[in-house]
């Protein structure tokens, strides 16, 4: 039986997976151990840990009421990481996938869980060297977490378009705005949560799957959105890691505003029919970003993703006021209006330089030394 | 029938290069499979077996004819080694620079003392000590490629290797000038020669770097393959020009690499990296190096050669062990880094031949001792580097 640890509603936290690259040709490098060792020489109290392969590192924030304090914490984490990485001649970068690394060259981090994942999934584990942002939103109880998980599914294409930063994969331009999700899709337990209506039903589903020997814990589900009972949160796992440290806080603010509206309105329109178009809309956002087309199955109509995002943002004014994140809302609107995405920026660098190594160099400079504005 | 070709069969340079490559690869594989030795050791052993010292399949004349490929291999390795020196990093991590300076100078002083004690003159001792400071870029780069080593020990190893090579050729050039003066050659030989060797080589390297960046920009970003061919061409040109102008090709190429890595716009000059395409030349280089070895020199010079090698192994190990914490390493990893620096520079043989002209009566002892040093170092160096990298934890776990 999974117990949902209640948390303060609408509190926030984010986790960011980052690339560790060498500063010679900017390929991924097995630097996580050396970096963690150096960081842990000084007392810090931040959550910085290894990830599935040794060219990755994950940072996580504490629990925040709003995105402004979250940004301050991210700045602190970045300063610590940068000073250590500089001493080791390592680069750190955001972005959903490394543009030219080869999956077969990656090494699984020597930790029991990762070794088990590698044994079970074979090459998929190494191909999972992709980098995402996870957003946690506090929920008052398990039932609310289930409702919020279903509610947010409708807005998943928005998060994809706003965070897209993986146009290149294995040395090629994929023509997608985000190629990262293709690696996630290969896992059998990816996709979306089943259409359960409350925490009791979710528990029944979980027990059933555990009884069949398919899962042992919630970590075995690679869903785009999943309840996280031990934290008392709903976790959005769809976003690429953005190229800077401001965008993650904007995405968190967007999730917070949507959650506020869901919980405040007592939304409960859980229907399997809503998921009929889920994968199609998700694909549209991955492939075309802001230019994608979203299909509303119930209304039998199509809307441009940018238009849908802008109208959602406009409707969130009251929540932005209530949560004191009007600045974040305005920045999100500006980006949506300009169709401003990290993927475009990366492609522009590649067009100018013809070098994927140069692309990563700029990515790394941007994450490590970019402005906080 | 006396005019049939096999009655007067002799190898031409191309056939000699073919033999270097073919037998080298076979020897490398046998060493690797049978003895779990590094492929480099196999290449060197193959050279030793087929060279003038053993089967005499390749004679000195053919080895000289294959010099073109050997010099190109050395050029590629030195260029790549220069590109591993990141001045931005050295500004942040000054300890790395200081540690390298510290162990190089300590090696120089200790070797000088040893060789003077061993009966060599001041000039020969200082030149041999200068050669002892440098770690071989070609061996280190090839070992890193072969073992797929990555990590802080490897990162510091490549930088220390390039810096030690730079220091070594500079000190060598000064020692060479001093030897000319002592042996009452002309003042020009004594003063102008080292100045020309150091400044001329550096200037050549810098000009090549600027030219590479400018031409790279002119070719445009979509011409990666042409840029790679261009770079090969510039490296070959620089090796040739250095020889023609009597400068030090090793210094010129190190500066060339360093310039392209650190000057504005030089970052993409070598993309994709040259190393994967250089393997051909590297194999030929190691087989030729093996063929040039003269094991018979060990009989007369082994005590001095062994002491020389022990000293130049022990001092870097001690220095890196002492300064490991300041270099973000554990003491143990520092020790292994010191050991990994063991391989003696592959370009030293060229410098040895330059020195003999300046040394006069000490030349025979100098050459003999250095040849004995090379025999041990060429065979043991790669093995020690691999051992050190493994123990330092820089090798990936075997699949």
């Amino acid at each position: 039986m999974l117990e949902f640890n209640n948390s303060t509603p609408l509190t926030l936290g984010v986790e960011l997976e980052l690339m560790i690259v060498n500063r010679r040709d900017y390929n991924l490098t097995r630097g996580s151990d050396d970096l963690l060792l150096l960081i842990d020489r000084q007392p810090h109290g931040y959550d910085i840990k290894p990830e599935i392969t040794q060219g990755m590192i994950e940072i996580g924030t504490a629990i925040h009421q709003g995105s402004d304090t979250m940004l301050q914490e991210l700045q602190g984490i970045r300063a610590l990481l940068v000073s250590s990485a500089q001493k080791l001649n390592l680069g750190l970068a955001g972005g959903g996938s490394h543009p030219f690394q080869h999956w077969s060259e990656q090494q699984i981090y020597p930790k029991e869980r990762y070794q088990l994942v590698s044994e079970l999934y074979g090459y998929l584990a190494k191909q999972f060297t992709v980098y995402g942002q996870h957003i946690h939103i506090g929920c008052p109880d398990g039932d609310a977490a289930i409702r919020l998980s279903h509610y947010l599914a409708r807005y998943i294409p928005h998060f994809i378009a706003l965070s897209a930063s993986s146009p290149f994969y294995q040395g090629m331009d994929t023509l997608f705005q985000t190629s990262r999700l293709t690696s996630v899709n290969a896992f059998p337990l990816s996709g979306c949560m089943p259409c359960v209506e409350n925490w009791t039903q979710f528990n029944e589903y979980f027990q059933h799957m555990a009884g069949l020997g398919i899962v042992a814990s919630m970590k075995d589900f690679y869903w785009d959105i999943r309840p996280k009972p031990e934290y008392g949160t709903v976790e959005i796992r769809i976003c690429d890691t953005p190229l800077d440290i401001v965008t993650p806080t904007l995405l968190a603010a967007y999730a917070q505003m949507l959650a506020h509206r869901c919980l405040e309105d007592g939304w409960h329109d859980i229907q399997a029919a809503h998921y009929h178009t889920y994968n199609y809309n998700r694909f549209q956002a991955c492939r075309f970003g802001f230019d994608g087309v979203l299909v509303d199955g119930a209304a039998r109509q199509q809307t441009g993703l940018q238009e849908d995002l802008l109208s959602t943002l406009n409707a969130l004014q009251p929540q932005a006021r209530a949560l004191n994140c009007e600045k974040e809302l305005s920045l999100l609107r500006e980006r949506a209006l300009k169709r401003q995405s990290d993927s475009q920026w990366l492609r522009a660098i590649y067009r100018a330089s013809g070098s994927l190594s140069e692309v990563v160099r700029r990515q790394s400079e941007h994450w490590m030394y970019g402005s906080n504005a | 029938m006396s005019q049939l070709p096999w009655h007067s069969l002799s190898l031409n340079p191309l056939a000699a290069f073919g033999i270097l490559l073919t037998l080298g690869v076979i020897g490398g594989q046998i060493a690797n499979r049978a003895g779990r030795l590094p492929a480099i050791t196999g290449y060197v052993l193959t050279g030793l077996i087929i060279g003038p010292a053993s089967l005499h399949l390749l004679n000195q004349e053919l080895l000289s004819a294959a010099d073109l490929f050997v010099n190109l291999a050395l050029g590629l390795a030195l260029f790549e080694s220069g590109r591993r020196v990141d001045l931005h990093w050295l500004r942040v991590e000054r300890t790395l620079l200081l540690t390298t300076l510290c162990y190089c100078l300590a090696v120089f002083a200790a070797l000088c003392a040893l060789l003077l004690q061993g009966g060599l003159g001041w000039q020969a001792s200082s030149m041999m000590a200068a050669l002892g400071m440098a770690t071989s870029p070609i061996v280190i780069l090839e070992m890193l490629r072969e073992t797929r080593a990555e990590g802080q020990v490897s990162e510091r190893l490549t930088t220390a290797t390039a810096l030690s090579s730079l220091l070594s050729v500079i000190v060598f050039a000064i020692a060479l000038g001093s030897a000319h003066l002592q042996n009452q050659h002309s003042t020009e030989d004594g003063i102008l020669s080292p100045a020309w060797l150091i400044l001329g080589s550096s200037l050549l390297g810098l000009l090549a770097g600027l030219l590479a960046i400018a031409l790279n920009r002119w070719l445009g970003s979509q011409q990666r393959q042409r840029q790679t061919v261009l770079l090969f061409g510039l490296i070959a040109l620089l090796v040739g020009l250095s020889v023609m102008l009597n400068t030090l090709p090793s210094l010129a190429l190190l500066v060339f690499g360093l310039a392209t890595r650190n000057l504005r716009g030089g970052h993409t000059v070598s993309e994709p990296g040259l190393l994967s395409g250089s393997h051909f030349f590297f194999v030929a280089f190691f087989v030729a190096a093996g063929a040039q070895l003269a094991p018979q020199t060990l009989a007369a010079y082994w005590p001095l050669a062994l002491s020389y090698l022990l000293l130049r192994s022990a001092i870097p190990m001690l220095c890196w062990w002492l300064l490991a914490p300041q270099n973000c390493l554990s003491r143990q990893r520092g020790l292994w880094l010191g050991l990994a620096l063991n391989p003696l520079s592959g370009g030293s043989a060229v410098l040895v031949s330059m020195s003999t002209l300046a040394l006069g009566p000490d030349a025979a002892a100098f050459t003999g001792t250095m040849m004995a040093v090379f025999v041990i170092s060429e065979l043991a160096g790669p093995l020690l580097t691999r051992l050190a990298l493994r123990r330092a934890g820089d090798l990936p776990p075997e699949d």
Side-chain angles (χ1 to χ4, degrees):
Chain A
M1 183 76 175
L2 288 170
E3 193 177 334
F4 192 89
N5 292 326
N6 303 344
S7 62
T8 310
L10 303 177
T11 47
L12 284 175
V14 296
E15 294 158 336
L16 298 172
E17 291 157 348
L18 300 169
M19 300 178 201
I20 306 174
V21 294
N22 72 50
R23 294 190 66 253
R24 187 174 68 255
D25 62 5
Y26 288 87
N27 202 347
L28 288 178
T29 188
R30 299 190 294 271
S32 55
D33 269 343
D34 286 324
L35 188 60
L36 286 168
L37 212 63
L38 187 59
I39 286 169
D40 291 341
R41 274 193 192 177
Q42 49 201 307
H44 56 81
Y46 293 129
D47 179 19
I48 305 172
K49 52 188 182 231
E51 247 296 335
I52 188 159
T53 57
Q54 294 181 327
M56 308 173 79
I57 198 162
E58 182 180 294
I59 60 175
T61 66
I63 302 165
H64 291 272
Q65 299 293 330
S67 58
D68 47 351
T69 54
M70 180 187 283
L71 180 58
Q72 282 167 17
E73 188 186 1
L74 282 175
Q75 284 164 352
I77 296 174
R78 181 174 71 168
L80 174 69
L81 280 172
V82 167
S83 69
S84 303
Q86 276 180 331
K87 281 187 80 64
L88 301 176
N89 207 23
L90 295 171
L92 297 167
S97 66
H98 186 279
F100 63 90
Q101 59 92 13
H102 200 281
W103 63 267
S104 65
E105 289 165 5
Q106 304 313 317
Q107 294 296 324
I108 301 293
Y109 192 85
K111 192 173 159 183
E112 195 186 351
R113 173 164 173 78
Y114 297 143
Q115 298 294 344
L116 287 173
V117 169
S118 175
E119 273 174 37
L120 176 63
Y121 290 115
Y123 86 117
L124 292 183
K126 287 188 177 182
Q127 282 207 326
F128 205 38
T129 307
V130 286
Y131 305 82
Q133 172 183 352
H134 301 171
I135 305 166
H136 288 268
I137 308 158
C139 290
D141 53 55
D143 288 344
I146 296 298
R147 282 193 289 121
L148 182 59
S149 298
H150 288 302
Y151 180 80
L152 288 170
R154 152 80 176 78
Y155 301 100
I156 278 306
H158 297 176
F159 284 97
I160 294 173
L162 285 165
S163 69
S165 59
S166 50
F168 303 105
Y169 188 62
Q170 308 278 300
M172 297 296 292
D173 187 338
T174 60
L175 300 183
F176 276 56
Q177 300 303 309
T178 166
S179 62
R180 168 181 150 270
L181 289 171
T182 315
S183 303
V184 184
N185 292 346
F187 287 86
L189 298 174
S190 62
C192 49
M193 187 178 75
C195 204
V196 293
E197 293 196 13
N198 52 46
W199 189 245
T200 310
Q201 282 184 17
F202 183 82
N203 248 316
E204 285 166 9
Y205 170 78
F206 180 81
Q207 296 306 329
H208 180 63
M209 295 292 275
L212 293 171
I214 296 173
V215 296
S217 77
M218 280 300 294
K219 283 182 180 174
D220 294 322
F221 292 117
Y222 290 71
W223 296 330
D224 297 343
I225 310 168
R226 71 181 180 194
K228 186 88 173 171
E230 59 267 45
Y231 293 175
T233 61
V234 163
E235 183 185 14
I236 302 172
R237 300 155 48 81
I238 198 78
C239 302
D240 281 359
T241 299
L243 297 181
D244 59 75
I245 60 166
V246 178
T247 310
T249 64
L250 298 183
L251 293 166
Y254 186 40
Q256 192 185 29
M257 288 183 273
L258 288 168
H260 186 280
R261 190 164 74 177
C262 168
L263 298 181
E264 195 181 51
D265 293 355
W267 181 90
H268 203 290
D269 184 20
I270 301 170
Q271 294 178 41
H274 290 325
Y275 285 95
H276 291 169
T277 55
Y278 180 85
N279 282 334
Y280 182 78
N281 290 343
R282 185 177 181 270
F283 159 76
Q284 282 283 323
C286 290
R287 171 68 179 85
F288 301 107
F290 292 114
D291 296 326
V293 172
L294 302 181
V295 178
D296 182 341
R300 302 180 73 83
Q301 67 178 26
Q302 294 192 348
T303 325
L305 192 151
Q306 185 201 29
E307 185 190 339
D308 190 60
L309 172 59
L310 282 168
S311 66
T312 307
L313 290 171
N314 287 338
L316 285 172
Q317 280 290 354
Q319 285 76 24
R321 265 195 300 278
L323 294 165
N324 197 24
C325 52
E326 285 162 300
K327 190 182 87 188
E328 285 81 357
L329 184 72
S330 140
L331 283 170
L332 284 165
R333 282 193 80 251
E334 193 181 315
R335 288 181 183 208
L337 277 168
K338 290 181 182 167
R339 290 184 158 88
Q340 181 188 331
S341 83
D342 286 345
S343 284
Q344 280 180 335
W345 187 70
L346 295 173
R347 282 199 171 100
I349 294 170
Y350 183 67
R351 269 196 303 277
S353 67
S355 159
L356 288 176
S357 171
E358 177 66 10
V359 170
V360 187
R361 188 183 76 79
R362 297 279 297 276
Q363 255 175 276
S364 173
E365 297 279 306
H366 195 61
W367 195 86
M368 292 173 81
Y369 310 110
S371 81
N372 302 322
Chain B
M1 299 296 280
S2 59
Q3 70 277 24
L4 287 172
W6 52 82
H7 287 162
S8 56
L9 193 66
S10 65
L11 290 174
N12 60 27
L14 195 59
F17 181 61
I19 285 179
L20 289 183
L21 275 185
T22 315
L23 294 184
V25 169
I26 294 169
Q29 272 301 298
I30 292 172
N32 201 257
R33 287 184 194 177
R36 296 185 67 77
L37 296 170
I40 297 177
T41 311
Y43 305 147
V44 173
L45 277 171
T46 306
L48 189 59
I49 292 166
I50 64 174
S54 307
L55 296 179
H56 215 282
L57 197 57
L58 294 173
N59 58 29
Q60 201 56 49
E61 196 185 338
L62 284 168
L63 282 172
S64 305
D67 260 1
L68 174 69
F69 306 106
V70 171
N71 286 334
L72 200 52
L74 207 54
L76 288 162
L78 287 161
F79 169 78
E80 184 61 32
S81 187
R83 274 188 70 82
R84 303 291 173 109
V85 181
D86 183 348
L87 295 180
H88 169 80
W89 187 31
L90 288 178
R91 271 197 297 273
V92 176
E93 188 65 348
R94 291 206 179 97
T95 326
L96 171 59
L97 183 64
L98 289 175
T99 311
T100 309
L101 277 174
C102 168
Y103 90 74
C104 282
L105 294 177
V107 164
F108 179 76
L111 290 181
C112 268
L114 171 81
L115 295 164
L116 285 169
Q117 195 71 28
L120 283 169
W122 169 247
Q123 304 98 317
S125 300
S126 58
M127 273 192 270
M128 272 183 74
L131 296 178
M133 290 158 77
T135 297
S136 168
I138 193 164
V139 175
I140 296 302
L141 291 173
E142 187 60 13
M143 283 311 300
L144 293 178
R145 191 199 61 78
E146 186 181 320
T147 58
R148 295 187 295 140
E150 265 182 24
Q152 278 309 296
V153 170
S154 309
E155 197 68 24
R156 281 158 209 271
L157 173 64
T158 46
T159 304
T161 297
L163 291 176
S164 72
S165 298
L166 265 174
L167 271 175
S168 166
V169 284
I170 292 169
V171 175
F172 178 85
I174 296 167
L176 187 68
S178 127
H180 278 300
L181 276 180
Q182 293 286 322
N183 287 305
Q184 290 160 355
H185 297 157
S186 69
T187 314
E188 282 168 22
D189 280 344
I191 297 168
L192 292 181
S193 162
W196 172 241
L197 287 175
I198 296 169
L199 297 176
S201 310
S202 305
L203 190 66
L204 265 182
L206 187 64
L207 287 174
L210 291 168
L211 187 65
I213 294 169
L215 287 173
N216 207 54
R217 197 172 292 145
W218 176 76
L219 276 173
S221 59
Q222 305 307 321
Q223 304 290 335
R224 288 276 156 228
Q225 278 192 328
R226 289 195 175 97
Q227 287 174 347
T228 305
V229 175
L230 177 85
L231 194 56
F232 263 104
L234 283 175
I235 289 170
L237 179 66
L238 189 57
V239 174
L241 268 180
S242 290
V243 174
M244 283 162 60
L245 296 170
N246 288 325
T247 58
L248 292 168
S250 40
L251 182 56
L253 284 150
L254 280 166
V255 174
F256 181 23
L258 212 145
T260 59
R261 169 69 188 262
N262 292 286
L263 290 176
R264 196 180 173 83
H267 181 256
T268 57
V269 159
S270 175
E271 189 194 338
L274 283 181
L275 279 187
S276 52
S278 308
H279 193 55
F280 277 109
F281 301 108
F282 285 8
V283 173
F285 174 88
F286 288 118
V287 181
Q292 301 275 15
L293 291 180
Q296 66 278 11
T297 51
L298 279 174
Y301 297 103
W302 73 267
L304 192 56
L306 200 61
S307 313
Y308 178 97
L309 285 169
L310 285 174
L311 211 52
R312 81 173 283 282
S313 302
I315 291 170
M317 287 173 79
L318 181 68
C319 287
W320 282 100
W321 179 80
L322 281 171
L323 296 167
Q326 288 76 15
N327 278 287
C328 310
L329 296 171
S330 64
R331 292 246 189 235
Q332 212 171 22
R333 291 182 88 196
L335 196 70
W336 294 125
L337 171 52
L339 183 66
L341 286 160
N342 191 279
L344 197 62
S345 180
S348 301
V350 182
L351 300 179
V352 168
S353 60
M354 282 176 79
S355 327
T356 49
L357 300 172
L359 282 176
D362 265 350
F366 171 84
T367 312
T369 312
M370 279 316 292
M371 292 312 282
V373 163
F374 288 144
V375 175
I376 306 171
S377 173
E378 296 273 5
L379 293 171
L383 207 62
L384 292 173
T385 299
R386 188 179 69 178
L387 171 76
L389 289 170
R390 176 171 296 140
R391 299 304 297 266
D394 271 23
L395 300 197
E398 286 174 30
D399 288 330

